[in-house]
Amino acid sequence: MTMTGNRLALVTGGASGIGRAIVERLAEDGFHIVLVDLNRERADDLVRALKDKGQSAEAHATDITNEEAVRALIDQLPPLDVLVNNAGILRDQPFENCTAADFRRTYEVNMIAVFNFAQAAIAKMRPGAKIVNIASRAYLGARNQIDYVASKGAVVSFTRALAMEVIKRGILVNAVAPGLIDTPILRGFTPERIEAQLALQPTGKAGKPEDVANAVSFLASPRTDFITGQVLFIDGGKSLGGSAV
Ligand code: NAI
């Protein structure tokens, strides 16, 4: 049962990687966390760990591509103060191998689910509510991820369009664009590919999930009230385009 009293933050894909760090950070910030993730076991473990620390959270093993389940979940919750659309999938494969079915699946998770969560949540949101979408630096362009890059470009455009749709209601919508961050999603990469990625990092290293969580905490804060439709890069300078040497 959702606890009242605390401000409410829903985080999709909150059981792993960047989402997990966002959950931990927003719980520290005093939010009651609604953690949505397919991985029930990991989600339940994290909620237990937060409660052991005296923090407030609940888990829902909802598939974010199940539109009815998403709308039913939002219906049963009080209005969200913060929605973090974090869950995403990445398949690393050459353009020639990407099928239309791959493309649709990536869009279902990375974009359509974001739309469904946002539309259902906004219907109940009050002035001052925040939406933070997790895009990717890769929306600027990357090889071997045609469907992913296109989906993240869509997330950025969606963020800007949605910010204008809801600005009169006092709801702020922003995105963060992480660069290479050390999380399980990178397990799909070969060691050579990881090495090549690191060579492109001006810092010479991947970022940490906490680096992204800090930025989300800032954009989700009730004290942040005049920023909307923006994309904040959290990429250790990679998007600047220069080389480290
Ligand atoms: P991850 O793979 O570690 O975690 C993703 C979580 O989302 C998992 O717990 C998974 O169970 C959940 N999930 C996936 N599909 C789901 C579905 N249909 N329904 C419910 N839950 C689902 O991924 P990571 O690295 O933490 O990525 C999080 C976000 O950050 C993604 O949107 C990703 O595209 C983005 N990102 C990650 C970068 C990185 O270098 N790791 C860089 C830029 C963006």
Side-chain angles (χ1 to χ4, degrees):
M1 193 53 212
T2 303
M3 287 178 57
T4 48
N6 292 29
R7 294 168 62 79
L8 205 64
L10 186 150
V11 182
T12 67
S16 170
I18 291 171
R20 185 187 169 96
I22 294 169
V23 162
E24 289 174 336
R25 178 57 195 265
L26 294 184
E28 253 174 58
D29 291 348
F31 286 94
H32 171 80
I33 306 293
V34 180
L35 193 172
V36 179
D37 201 295
L38 268 184
N39 192 326
R40 181 186 298 274
E41 205 179 321
R42 289 184 64 118
D44 285 343
D45 283 351
L46 179 52
V47 163
R48 218 169 294 121
L50 296 175
K51 285 184 175 165
D52 285 349
K53 287 197 275 184
Q55 294 165 345
S56 176
E58 64 189 67
H60 297 266
T62 309
D63 181 341
I64 64 163
T65 64
N66 181 339
E67 184 177 342
E68 270 147 43
V70 166
R71 291 187 186 269
L73 172 63
I74 299 291
D75 272 358
Q76 80 176 58
L77 295 169
L80 299 181
D81 296 290
V82 172
L83 166 65
V84 183
N85 282 309
N86 162 77
I89 54 170
L90 166 66
R91 209 180 288 102
D92 207 38
Q93 64 181 356
F95 166 69
E96 302 77 47
N97 296 4
C98 183
T99 64
D102 291 340
F103 220 103
R104 282 196 194 96
R105 178 65 195 161
T106 304
Y107 256 71
E108 280 293 338
V109 179
N110 293 4
M111 183 62 253
I112 312 287
V114 170
F115 163 73
N116 282 328
F117 264 102
Q119 196 179 54
I122 284 168
K124 293 168 79 173
M125 274 175 162
R126 297 170 297 214
K130 310 273 164 50
I131 297 180
V132 184
N133 298 321
I134 311 302
S136 169
R137 185 225 60 91
Y139 95 89
L140 296 174
R143 266 186 296 184
N144 283 326
Q145 303 169 357
I146 192 79
D147 49 342
Y148 179 80
V149 169
S151 75
K152 293 300 188 177
V155 169
V156 168
S157 301
F158 174 77
T159 300
R160 294 170 61 93
L162 185 61
M164 294 189 77
E165 293 278 353
V166 296
I167 202 160
K168 289 256 166 58
R169 288 185 47 197
I171 300 168
L172 303 183
V173 188
N174 290 289
V176 298
L180 189 69
I181 307 289
D182 190 9
T183 75
I185 216 172
L186 299 185
R187 282 193 205 127
F189 288 11
T190 61
E192 296 75 39
R193 178 122 165 82
I194 299 229
E195 204 178 313
Q197 290 278 355
L198 288 175
L200 292 171
Q201 280 297 125
T203 52
K205 61 181 169 66
K208 302 184 297 301
E210 293 74 17
D211 294 318
V212 183
N214 280 339
V216 173
S217 165
F218 163 65
L219 291 171
S221 164
R223 301 175 76 169
T224 302
D225 220 19
F226 205 54
I227 301 175
T228 196
Q230 302 303 303
V231 183
L232 182 54
F233 284 85
I234 302 152
D235 68 348
K238 187 175 172 190
S239 55
L240 301 175
S243 88
V245 286

